[in-house]
């Protein structure tokens, strides 16, 4: 299969590696020669590291490298069966590139975008044949993260959806099919992990370290929300939240936080700037975290309150995504475990805690705050009445 990748930055170069490893003939295109050189050098480094670790041999490295050609013209992608675009997140630029690309490729070439936040329907509208357009959304780093969200637009044909799913599965990825709505699955369902943690902090219930510690020890999350926001970058994470909030017509559930906005404005971006919620040394290690032992009764109770509150808000978001047919039960749970490494799928977690527990916790929050943010998903309420679970 001939695969054309547009944009050789972080995502484009990772996707090229995935497709080349799966045996596709890949052409990687960028307008910036430096970006192409960097992608080539970085792949060489990554493959050498894989050899050192004993994951691949030199022959495999040569095979992967020989499957990628670095090109400096869009026209060079003319013989592609599938193209995936990973350029700047700007709708006008994407539309322009898509419309030019369509003039070069064959009628049955699938034209996909790796966009995180733009509407696939809107990108597809730039094409003469919008039914060939689809969202194929990888996670960073693409070679390591198992999940790929596949997003058909209203215009996308069933053939294009089926072919895309089949291709991505053959690249040894887990596919979750999502509706063309803001944040798709992961970037929507994960919002409360950051938002509720920030709200708990802003209310003065606990400090960053305690909140992080609660979610790691009681929830088994690899990183606490504040560590993770510092890792992603407070500028990037804030922008995603603001985009989702705006796209959902200002639903209070997605409201961004002033705490994060101020940090971002101050340049306290997190690990990459040496300072965020935590301070970092030059190797990216946290240097000012005090470890909180949750030994005393009151500490344990506080940790449980924090964990329950963030978890139930995540479950509510996942249940609402199912309620609104954004994706299937399996795909919603796979998305969170394979796209952002959650220790468990949120709907399976809801079953484990009990739907009654979820409804009671959410109603307690709603009764305390009287804010729409804490409204319980109608699906959870209905399931509770009917004594149903998500699985079995
Ligand atoms: P990046 O900034 O690392 O790379 C973008 C590349 O596109 C640059 O090398 C740039 O020279 C090139 N480019 C810009 N305009 C171009 C054009 N008209 N034609 C050809 N090449 C052009 O960006 P990154 O992070 O790789 O993101 C790319 C896309 O992937 C965006 O749509 C983003 O929303 C999405 N995405 C990003 C993720 C991330 O964690 N960075 C995760 C999932 C999706």
């Amino acid at each position: 299969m001939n695969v054309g990748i547009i944009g050789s930055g972080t995502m484009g170069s990772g996707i090229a590696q995935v497709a080349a490893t799966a045996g596709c003939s890949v052409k990687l295109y960028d307008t910036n020669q430096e970006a192409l050189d960097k992608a080539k050098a970085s792949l060489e480094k990554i493959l050498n590291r894989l050899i050192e670790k004993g994951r691949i041999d030199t022959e495999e490295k040569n095979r992967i490298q020989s499957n990628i050609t670095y090109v400096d013209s869009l026209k060079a992608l003319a013989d592609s069966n599938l193209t995936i675009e990973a350029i700047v997140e700007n709708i006008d630029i994407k539309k322009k590139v898509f419309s030019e690309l369509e003039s070069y490729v064959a009628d049955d070439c699938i034209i996909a975008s790796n966009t995180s936040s733009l509407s696939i329907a809107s990108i597809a509208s730039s094409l003469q044949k919008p039914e060939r357009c689809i969202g194929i959304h990888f996670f960073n780093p693409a070679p390591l993260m198992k999940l790929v969200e596949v997003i058909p637009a209203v215009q996308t044909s069933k053939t294009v959806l089926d072919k895309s799913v089949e291709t991505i599965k053959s690249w040894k990825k887990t596919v979750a099919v999502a509706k063309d709505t803001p944040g798709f699955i992961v970037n929507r369902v994960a919002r409360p992990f950051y938002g509720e943690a920030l709200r708990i902090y802003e209310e003065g219930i606990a400090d960053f370290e305690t909140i992080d510690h609660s979610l790691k020890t009681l929830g088994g999350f690899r990183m606490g929300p504040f560590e993770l926001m510092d890792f992603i970058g407070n500028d990037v994470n804030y922008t995603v939240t603001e985009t989702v909030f705006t796209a959902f017509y200002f639903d209070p559930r997605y409201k961004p936080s002033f705490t994060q906005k101020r940090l971002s404005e101050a340049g306290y971006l997190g690990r990459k700037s040496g300072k965020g919620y935590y301070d970092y040394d030059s190797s990216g290690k946290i240097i000012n975290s005090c470890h909180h032992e949750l030994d005393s009764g009151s500490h344990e109770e506080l940790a449980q309150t924090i964990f329950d509150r963030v978890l139930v808000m995540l479950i509510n978001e996942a249940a609402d995504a199912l309620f609104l047919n954004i994706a299937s039960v399996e795909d919603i749970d796979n998305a969170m475990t394979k796209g952002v490494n959650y220790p468990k799928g949120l709907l399976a977690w809801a079953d484990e805690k009990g739907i009654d527990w979820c409804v009671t916790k959410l109603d307690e929050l709603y009764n305390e705050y009287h804010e729409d943010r804490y409204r319980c998903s109608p699906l959870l309420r209905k399931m509770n009445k009917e004594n149903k679970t998500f699985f079995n």
Side-chain angles (χ1 to χ4, degrees):
M1 177 181 224
N2 293 337
V3 178
I5 312 254
I6 307 155
S8 69
T10 313
M11 295 310 293
S13 56
I15 299 167
Q17 185 191 333
V18 172
T21 305
C24 297
S25 169
V26 178
K27 283 189 186 142
L28 184 54
Y29 161 66
D30 204 293
T31 40
N32 180 348
Q33 186 58 43
E34 257 173 54
L36 284 172
D37 295 342
K38 206 173 140 206
K40 196 171 182 178
S42 121
L43 180 65
E44 166 83 14
K45 243 177 151 175
I46 290 168
L47 296 177
N48 283 341
R49 222 177 304 139
L50 290 178
I51 292 179
E52 275 165 35
K53 286 187 186 161
R55 303 255 185 88
I56 59 167
D57 55 20
T58 318
E59 206 178 306
E60 174 71 352
K61 175 190 161 188
N62 293 340
R63 187 185 69 86
I64 296 169
Q65 279 179 320
S66 67
N67 279 346
I68 305 181
T69 317
Y70 298 82
V71 301
D72 60 4
S73 88
L74 194 56
K75 209 173 181 177
L77 308 187
D79 65 352
S80 303
N81 308 107
L82 165 69
T83 61
I84 303 178
E85 163 279 314
I87 65 169
V88 280
E89 193 74 335
N90 176 311
I91 188 79
D92 296 326
I93 300 178
K94 283 193 200 281
K95 279 184 168 178
K96 209 167 146 259
V97 170
F98 270 49
S99 140
E100 185 187 341
L101 175 71
E102 192 178 33
S103 70
Y104 304 132
V105 295
D107 277 358
D108 61 351
C109 172
I110 296 176
I111 301 186
S113 174
N114 185 53
T115 181
S116 291
S117 63
L118 301 170
S119 120
I120 309 298
S122 158
I123 298 175
S125 72
S126 63
L127 298 177
Q128 301 284 332
K129 288 181 180 296
E131 64 274 14
R132 61 157 93 198
C133 186
I134 193 158
I136 300 187
H137 183 224
F138 286 79
F139 290 78
N140 189 15
L144 295 184
M145 301 307 287
K146 274 257 151 243
L147 182 77
V148 177
E149 292 177 333
V150 173
I151 308 109
V154 280
Q155 303 101 314
T156 311
S157 75
K158 173 93 171 52
T159 318
V160 166
L161 170 61
D162 292 346
K163 260 201 198 163
S164 304
V165 170
E166 191 191 312
T167 304
I168 299 303
K169 279 187 178 164
S170 76
W171 294 0
K172 302 210 171 65
K173 294 290 181 190
T174 301
V175 170
V177 177
K179 239 193 201 171
D180 184 15
T181 46
F184 311 132
I185 307 173
V186 170
N187 282 332
R188 170 195 195 132
V189 174
R191 297 293 16 111
F193 191 65
Y194 318 106
E196 205 51 29
L198 280 157
R199 172 73 187 248
I200 290 167
Y201 165 75
E202 284 176 353
E203 279 187 40
I205 295 171
D207 55 27
F208 308 140
E209 287 99 333
T210 305
I211 299 171
D212 277 354
H213 196 67
S214 309
L215 281 144
K216 286 194 290 183
T217 49
L218 298 176
F221 289 91
R222 285 194 202 170
M223 280 192 205
F226 294 96
E227 273 178 88
L228 187 54
M229 286 185 274
D230 269 357
F231 181 78
I232 295 168
N234 282 305
D235 50 342
V236 173
N237 189 261
Y238 178 80
T239 305
V240 176
T241 307
E242 201 183 35
T243 308
V244 170
F245 179 56
T246 310
F248 275 109
Y249 309 108
F250 308 103
D251 185 330
R253 233 169 33 199
Y254 308 108
K255 198 163 153 189
S257 134
F258 284 119
T259 300
Q260 190 173 33
K261 184 158 199 256
R262 293 292 177 266
L263 252 62
S264 178
E265 288 166 347
Y268 296 171
L269 308 181
R271 239 164 71 131
K272 63 186 173 189
S273 68
K275 192 176 177 58
Y277 300 105
Y278 299 98
D279 291 335
Y280 296 83
D281 68 14
S282 56
S283 72
K285 266 210 188 111
I286 293 177
I287 48 180
N288 65 340
S289 169
C290 39
H291 183 65
H292 288 243
E293 289 298 336
L294 300 174
D295 46 6
S296 76
S298 68
H299 259 137
E300 251 172 55
E301 215 181 291
L302 175 63
Q304 194 67 48
T305 308
I306 293 165
F307 167 59
D308 287 352
R309 180 161 162 180
V310 175
L311 178 65
V312 84
M313 288 295 277
L314 283 167
I315 288 174
N316 199 37
E317 201 56 52
D320 223 47
L322 181 66
F323 177 59
L324 297 171
N325 291 305
I326 305 305
S328 68
V329 175
E330 289 77 18
D331 283 1
I332 289 173
D333 269 18
N334 271 334
M336 304 318 284
T337 52
K338 306 237 163 62
V340 272
N341 289 326
Y342 279 17
K344 256 178 251 177
L346 292 166
L347 301 174
W349 221 333
D351 282 351
E352 198 182 297
K353 287 288 201 180
I355 306 299
D356 182 42
W357 179 88
C358 301
V359 173
T360 306
K361 282 276 168 221
L362 285 160
D363 282 350
E364 275 171 20
L365 285 165
Y366 187 83
N367 288 336
E368 183 177 348
Y369 294 106
H370 289 273
E371 285 177 49
D372 208 26
R373 172 188 180 90
Y374 297 106
R375 68 187 185 270
C376 174
S377 168
L379 178 64
L380 285 173
R381 215 177 276 293
K382 184 165 179 278
M383 286 173 64
N384 193 34
K385 266 196 199 124
E386 295 170 358
N387 233 338
K388 285 202 174 135
T389 52
F390 288 106
F391 293 90
N392 300 317

